[in-house]
């Protein structure tokens, strides 16, 4: 079962979706990998692993004692969102210019940024997705303790993202 989640097309202007890069070409590839393609492939791979390893059942078994059933789709969406948006910081124009040698035109003369995609990605992710998920959590009709647990889980997932991004 897959869940409707926020996508890059909802937060990035369409003219940038096709030019933002995630990776430079590997040995066998001639073209760099686009960020949107990389994110979609990562999510597809998660779905394949999820089917093969029954990850949704595993997640549900962990979550069921802590939350009512109406939280399960939200928790699955939060996990998928972390996976899909793990490289969100690569929208940083300095990263695109310096690390991806991406030559699309943007004005960065007044920006005080570095090419560190992890740091900026974490900030952007926290701001955009915390608001998105706080709103979804607040709309679930349940006891406050469950809403608080969902917020705590969201922060835990944000901390796990730090590890994925190499913050430790």
């Amino acid at each position: 079962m897959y869940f409707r989640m926020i996508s890059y097309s909802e937060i990035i202007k369409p003219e940038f979706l096709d030019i933002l890069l995630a990776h430079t070409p590997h040995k066998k590839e001639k073209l760099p990998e686009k960020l949107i393609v990389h994110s979609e492939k990562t999510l597809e791979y998660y779905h394949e692993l999820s089917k093969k390893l029954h990850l949704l059942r595993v997640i549900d078994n962990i979550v069921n004692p802590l939350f009512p059933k109406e939280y399960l789709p939200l928790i699955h969406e939060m996990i998928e969102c972390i996976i899909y948006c793990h490289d969100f910081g690569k929208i940083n124009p300095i990263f695109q210019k310096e690390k991806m040698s991406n030559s699309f035109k943007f004005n960065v003369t007044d920006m005080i940024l570095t090419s560190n995609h992890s740091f900026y990605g974490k900030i952007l992710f926290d701001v955009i997705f915390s608001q998105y998920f706080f709103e979804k959590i607040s709309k679930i009709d349940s006891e406050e303790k469950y809403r608080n647990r969902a917020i705590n889980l969201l922060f835990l997932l944000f901390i796990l993202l730090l590890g994925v991004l190499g913050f430790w």
Side-chain angles (χ1 to χ4, degrees):
M1 173 184 247
Y2 303 120
F3 308 92
R4 193 271 179 233
M5 69 176 182
I6 197 165
S7 70
Y8 283 133
S9 61
E10 295 175 74
I11 48 182
I12 299 174
K13 290 183 177 183
E15 61 266 25
F16 291 108
L17 276 178
D18 203 38
I19 57 176
L20 291 170
L21 303 176
H23 296 283
T24 55
H26 294 269
K27 294 175 185 174
K28 297 178 184 177
E29 299 169 354
K30 294 181 180 174
L31 297 173
E33 186 175 36
K34 294 177 183 178
L35 180 59
I36 188 96
V37 171
H38 171 71
S39 297
E40 289 168 357
K41 282 182 180 178
T42 303
L43 191 57
E44 285 174 24
Y45 185 62
Y46 166 73
H47 289 157
E48 288 175 22
L49 280 178
S50 183
K51 283 180 188 175
K52 183 177 181 180
L53 302 174
H54 309 284
L55 291 180
L56 291 182
R57 189 173 356 140
V58 172
I59 292 166
D60 291 353
N61 287 338
I62 293 168
V63 170
N64 277 333
L66 302 171
F67 293 97
K69 291 196 183 306
E70 60 263 21
Y71 279 87
L72 290 179
L74 173 71
I75 291 167
H76 292 184
E77 180 184 359
M78 289 172 12
I79 292 167
E80 285 197 359
C81 190
I82 292 280
I83 292 165
Y84 178 73
C85 296
H86 73 281
D87 274 341
F88 187 58
K90 291 183 178 181
I91 67 171
N92 173 357
I94 302 299
F95 175 86
Q96 289 292 312
K97 183 178 179 182
E98 292 182 7
K99 301 293 184 181
M100 298 289 102
S101 301
N102 196 340
S103 60
F104 72 91
K105 302 295 181 211
F106 53 88
N107 185 5
V108 294
T109 56
D110 296 331
M111 292 186 183
I112 304 172
L113 296 173
T114 68
S115 62
N116 181 344
H117 78 281
S118 299
F119 175 74
Y120 300 111
K122 181 67 173 96
I123 292 170
L124 288 168
F125 190 91
D126 286 356
V127 170
I128 292 171
F129 295 103
S130 60
Q131 178 183 355
Y132 174 79
F133 284 113
F134 286 157
E135 288 174 10
K136 290 189 91 155
I137 290 167
S138 70
K139 291 178 183 175
I140 296 176
D141 185 26
S142 70
E143 294 178 46
E144 185 177 350
K145 71 179 181 180
Y146 297 120
R147 287 192 297 274
N148 289 338
R149 285 181 189 172
I151 290 169
N152 289 333
L153 179 61
L154 181 62
F155 283 122
L156 176 63
L157 291 171
F158 286 175
I159 290 168
L160 290 173
L161 180 60
L162 288 173
V164 170
L165 295 174
F167 277 88
W168 52 63

